[in-house]
Amino acid sequence: METIHIAIVEDDNEIRQTLHLILDGSTGFSCKYAFPDAESAIASIPNLPVDVVLMDIDLPGKTGIEATRELRKKCDHIDFIMLTVQSDDDSIFESLCAGASGYLLKDTNPVDLLVHIKEVYDGGSPMSSQIARRIINSFRIIDNPLSERETEVLKLLSQGLNYKDVAEHIFLSPHTVKTHIKNIYSKLHVNNRAEAIYKAIKQKLI
Amino acid sequence: METIHIAIVEDDNEIRQTLHLILDGSTGFSCKYAFPDAESAIASIPNLPVDVVLMDIDLPGKTGIEATRELRKKCDHIDFIMLTVQSDDDSIFESLCAGASGYLLKDTNPVDLLVHIKEVYDGGSPMSSQIARRIINSFRIIDNPLSERETEVLKLLSQGLNYKDVAEHIFLSPHTVKTHIKNIYSKLHVNNRAEAIYKAIKQKLI
DNA sequence: TATAAAATACCCCAAACGAGCTATTGATTC
DNA sequence: GAATCAATAGCTCGTTTGGGGTATTTTATA
């Protein structure tokens, strides 16, 4: 079996070094590169012979998700596995959008980790059953996740109205409009107006 | 000349009855069916010997546009003429997408209306010159006013990046990105991100 | 070779925005 | 009857945005 070349991006020294040793000492695996932050990883990985990157999400500076997003564009032959303590919906969803192929919790034991790395390398997408469930649930939304009111608000936003204008237009308090907008962002997994409108149009919600 | 069988969908009693009388009393035309709402029209028209439907847009409950969309699927031998007081771009565009063959304003005089019904029956698409103009304009390939750089910036904005992120992404000063954005707004005649993205997508600029 | 775009970069400032909260009411749904 | 969701309304705070400028360099193009 050919050797799988791994890189680690992880700010915790102990975890990074432990993983480094375990992975590099295993047959069929080579782990010569480990980075403590997103920036150094982004700078180096495009020039390295790497097959799989283990990416922590919580990093100082840019997050692992951002690093994945940027690296994905330059290195589409590399697979990314998110390795994290968080398992909230937003992190999972964002990671997958950013181009991650797998999403594992840090308490995954080393032997399983090796198996999962092999799975990714072979074109699979390993993830724990809890995480798989969340993903199924998030993709299961066939119908419009937005309520009627939210859709109405989003349409008005797309016409260039600010929230005060929207409020006046539909006879609501600006505070309520703001709440609706926040809920829209949350449901569409975005953090600003621009992306919300883009996604909504692409998904034919408005 | 063979008789053209007409159905009317119109919630205003007076207008509906007036049209009913005028159309059914004219040589070559027969108007035996008139409905006050979309629902009853959708239920009955598929089983009726009808050639042309005059459809009001503003109806209680489902709109005339929705009714047209649904009826079109079942009855592709029937032609639909939208008859409305609205002449806004969205109504027109949606009506055409829904399958309407003609789009007339309610102030069209009865004699002209008969002429237009005949036109539709003969495969034409009658509409007032104002409406025709709007359609021409909406279909006109508006040449992209944005430069390549501006398009690039707008695409990144639509992904939710703020101008600092955009700047880093394409190795520019944030000041320059801001300038580009201001120029984009100016060219698209908008004054914020939301409307810029909406317009750009609708015009297929991004 | 003018002249016009396009691309680059910088300044100030007020208004708008997004994130993080709490909270009440009325429907649904389990 | 409890729980959840939608809709409503409010608060604070720091960050981002958009509008108003100015200015240089490069690239087309007339």
Side-chain angles (χ1 to χ4, degrees):
Chain A
M1 146 174 138
E2 54 184 312
T3 301
I4 301 172
H5 298 272
I6 303 163
I8 299 168
V9 187
E10 164 65 61
D11 61 322
D12 183 296
N13 286 330
E14 202 184 311
I15 297 178
R16 187 176 66 251
Q17 280 159 23
T18 305
L19 279 174
H20 197 310
L21 287 175
I22 294 174
L23 297 175
D24 201 42
S26 304
T27 312
F29 297 88
S30 156
C31 182
K32 302 296 181 199
Y33 317 105
F35 306 92
D37 57 74
E39 290 74 10
S40 58
I42 292 168
S44 302
I45 290 181
N47 309 311
L48 300 175
V50 165
D51 302 308
V52 176
V53 174
L54 296 185
M55 181 75 75
D56 184 26
I57 288 185
D58 271 317
L59 295 171
K62 287 192 181 178
T63 68
I65 295 177
E66 289 172 68
T68 301
R69 205 185 329 266
E70 294 190 30
L71 284 169
R72 262 265 87 184
K73 289 178 193 160
K74 300 178 195 162
C75 327
D76 63 356
H77 57 288
I78 297 180
D79 288 308
F80 295 85
I81 297 177
M82 309 311 280
L83 206 56
T84 175
V85 287
Q86 303 164 269
S87 70
D88 62 286
D89 284 357
D90 281 352
S91 293
I92 297 170
F93 198 90
E94 278 182 42
S95 296
L96 295 182
C97 287
S101 299
Y103 195 105
L104 299 173
L105 296 181
K106 280 191 180 171
D107 61 9
T108 306
N109 80 60
V111 175
D112 286 346
L113 189 54
L114 290 173
V115 171
H116 292 324
I117 290 170
K118 183 73 170 65
E119 285 175 346
V120 160
Y121 185 70
D122 290 337
S125 281
M127 52 189 62
S128 76
S129 58
Q130 308 101 292
I131 288 169
R133 162 70 66 93
R134 289 179 197 240
I135 292 168
I136 298 295
N137 286 341
S138 83
F139 276 99
R140 180 189 270 168
I141 305 150
I142 307 150
D143 46 8
N144 192 334
L146 304 181
S147 70
E148 275 189 35
R149 202 51 150 175
E150 287 161 355
T151 304
E152 194 180 7
V153 168
L154 193 52
K155 275 184 190 168
L156 292 171
L157 289 184
S158 76
Q159 306 307 311
L161 280 67
N162 62 27
Y163 57 78
K164 271 184 215 162
D165 294 337
V166 171
E168 284 174 27
H169 214 269
I170 54 180
F171 310 107
L172 282 181
S173 152
H175 296 291
T176 305
V177 172
K178 237 183 157 174
T179 303
H180 284 313
I181 294 173
K182 278 185 282 195
N183 290 334
I184 291 168
Y185 293 173
S186 161
K187 287 180 176 182
L188 297 183
H189 307 284
V190 301
N191 329 289
N192 60 54
R193 208 156 290 205
E195 205 181 354
I197 286 165
Y198 183 81
K199 270 208 175 184
I201 296 176
K202 291 300 172 188
Q203 294 176 24
K204 298 175 195 287
L205 306 184
I206 58 172
Chain B
M1 151 171 134
E2 53 184 311
T3 301
I4 301 172
H5 299 272
I6 303 164
I8 299 168
V9 187
E10 163 66 61
D11 62 319
D12 184 295
N13 288 328
E14 203 184 309
I15 297 179
R16 187 176 64 251
Q17 280 158 24
T18 306
L19 280 174
H20 196 312
L21 287 174
I22 293 174
L23 297 175
D24 201 42
S26 304
T27 311
F29 297 88
S30 157
C31 183
K32 302 296 181 199
Y33 316 104
F35 306 91
D37 57 72
E39 289 76 7
S40 58
I42 292 169
S44 302
I45 290 181
N47 309 309
L48 300 174
V50 165
D51 301 308
V52 176
V53 174
L54 296 184
M55 180 75 76
D56 184 26
I57 287 185
D58 272 317
L59 294 172
K62 286 191 181 180
T63 68
I65 294 177
E66 291 171 65
T68 302
R69 205 185 329 266
E70 295 190 28
L71 284 169
R72 262 265 86 186
K73 289 178 199 163
K74 301 177 194 163
C75 329
D76 64 355
H77 58 285
I78 297 180
D79 287 309
F80 295 85
I81 297 177
M82 308 312 280
L83 206 56
T84 175
V85 286
Q86 303 164 267
S87 70
D88 62 285
D89 285 357
D90 281 351
S91 294
I92 297 170
F93 199 87
E94 279 183 41
S95 297
L96 295 182
C97 288
S101 299
Y103 194 107
L104 299 172
L105 296 181
K106 280 191 178 171
D107 62 7
T108 306
N109 80 60
V111 175
D112 286 345
L113 190 52
L114 290 173
V115 170
H116 292 322
I117 290 170
K118 183 72 171 66
E119 285 176 345
V120 159
Y121 186 71
D122 291 337
S125 281
M127 54 189 61
S128 77
S129 59
Q130 308 102 290
I131 288 169
R133 163 67 70 93
R134 288 177 196 242
I135 293 169
I136 298 296
N137 286 343
S138 83
F139 277 99
R140 178 196 284 163
I141 301 143
I142 305 147
D143 45 6
N144 191 337
L146 304 181
S147 70
E148 274 189 38
R149 201 51 151 174
E150 287 160 353
T151 305
E152 194 181 6
V153 168
L154 193 52
K155 276 183 189 168
L156 291 171
L157 289 183
S158 76
Q159 307 306 312
L161 280 67
N162 63 27
Y163 57 78
K164 270 184 217 161
D165 293 337
V166 171
E168 283 175 27
H169 215 271
I170 55 180
F171 310 108
L172 282 180
S173 152
H175 296 292
T176 305
V177 172
K178 220 179 168 181
T179 304
H180 284 313
I181 294 173
K182 279 188 282 193
N183 290 335
I184 291 168
Y185 292 172
S186 161
K187 288 179 176 182
L188 296 182
H189 307 287
V190 300
N191 32 47
N192 58 55
R193 206 156 291 202
E195 206 181 353
I197 286 165
Y198 183 82
K199 270 208 176 185
I201 295 175
K202 291 299 173 192
Q203 293 176 25
K204 295 173 198 287
L205 306 183
I206 58 173

